[in-house]
Amino acid sequence: MTDIVPPEIDSYAEAHTTPPGDLLSRLADETKATLSSPQMLTGPVEGRFLQFLVFATGARRILELGTFSGYSSISMAAVLPEGGRIDTCEVEEQHASVARRYIEEAGFSDRIHIHMGPALESIEGLDGEFDFAFIDADKQNYVNYYEAVLPRLSARGLIAADNTLWSGRILDDADKSEGTEAIRAFNEHVLADGRAVSVLLTVRDGVTLIRRA
């Protein structure tokens, strides 16, 4: 992942963000040492950012598309109100096995539920509305995830879509790769959708916040 924010600024932001604690630090270390694509790790700044969104909105029902090693789920679960629940979707068992261990150690097994298999199928199997949805799975399905989730947001629900600046590659007209084109298509789709209001933030690799209009 190419740095969008200058590394020294990114380091300063992390140094002036409340540290994640021992468990998440160990989870980050294991993720970087043992899993492929460790750049997918949410990390301390974005993890704390997601936690703030959940805390500020009082979200009780959370949908996460893309568990990876569990960093974001654990971050959000820490501020769930009583009875809150996170349904998180993952296709890679290796990722889920790491996530399960740390979720159990954190004491959040009763509030974080991992669903294995294609996320669109998992969404169809879940009932009710979502107060907050974090989209961070395969980029080729971002528009499909958005279309599946937007109608099921609660009245004040939010979607946060990750990687929407795609290391700046969205600005490279010569880049026609599948992932880049998928993120471009998603960004344009959301912007043109009269059902939604959105803001694209330069947090880490780009996070777009979306609500219903």
Side-chain angles (χ1 to χ4, degrees), residues 26-189:
R26 286 188 286 108
L27 171 54
D29 289 342
E30 180 173 341
T31 300
K32 293 169 186 175
T34 65
L35 298 183
S36 59
S37 302
Q39 72 275 8
M40 295 195 309
L41 184 74
T42 298
V45 174
E46 189 175 2
R48 191 66 74 182
F49 175 65
L50 292 172
Q51 189 181 87
F52 260 83
L53 290 175
V54 171
F55 178 82
T57 60
R60 299 177 60 86
R61 182 83 186 280
I62 296 172
L63 173 67
E64 178 181 53
L65 307 181
T67 310
F68 196 40
S69 57
Y71 194 108
S72 50
S73 290
I74 293 170
S75 296
M76 293 186 288
V79 294
L80 275 179
E82 187 69 28
R85 173 188 176 103
I86 296 175
D87 289 290
T88 181
C89 304
E90 181 56 55
V91 293
E92 297 288 346
E93 179 57 39
Q94 184 183 15
H95 298 168
S97 64
V98 175
R100 288 190 193 99
R101 283 194 287 107
Y102 282 92
I103 288 168
E104 182 175 1
E105 183 180 345
F108 294 153
S109 296
D110 61 334
R111 65 186 76 174
I112 301 175
H113 305 268
I114 299 177
H115 302 268
M116 297 302 299
L120 289 171
E121 295 179 9
S122 296
I123 294 170
E124 288 182 4
L126 295 171
D127 296 326
E129 295 181 328
F130 306 108
D131 302 314
F132 184 72
F134 182 43
I135 300 177
D136 190 21
D138 58 300
K139 311 314 170 191
Q140 289 75 19
N141 269 312
Y142 260 37
V143 171
N144 294 328
Y145 296 146
Y146 170 80
E147 288 295 336
V149 172
L150 186 70
R152 295 183 57 182
L153 285 181
S154 60
R156 299 187 64 83
L158 291 179
I159 295 172
D162 203 12
N163 305 116
T164 49
L165 289 177
W166 202 232
S167 297
R169 294 197 296 273
I170 51 167
L171 299 179
D172 182 0
D173 293 336
D175 188 340
K176 304 296 183 183
S177 62
E178 188 176 15
T180 301
E181 292 284 50
I183 291 296
R184 286 193 187 111
F186 173 78
N187 289 343
E188 296 304 322
H189 185 83

Side-chain angles (χ1 to χ4, degrees), residues 4 46 161-167 200-208:
I4 295 174
E46 189 175 2
D162 203 12
N163 305 116
T164 49
L165 289 177
W166 202 232
S167 297
L200 201 167
L201 306 173
T202 55
V203 175
R204 201 159 182 261
D205 194 31
V207 178
T208 299

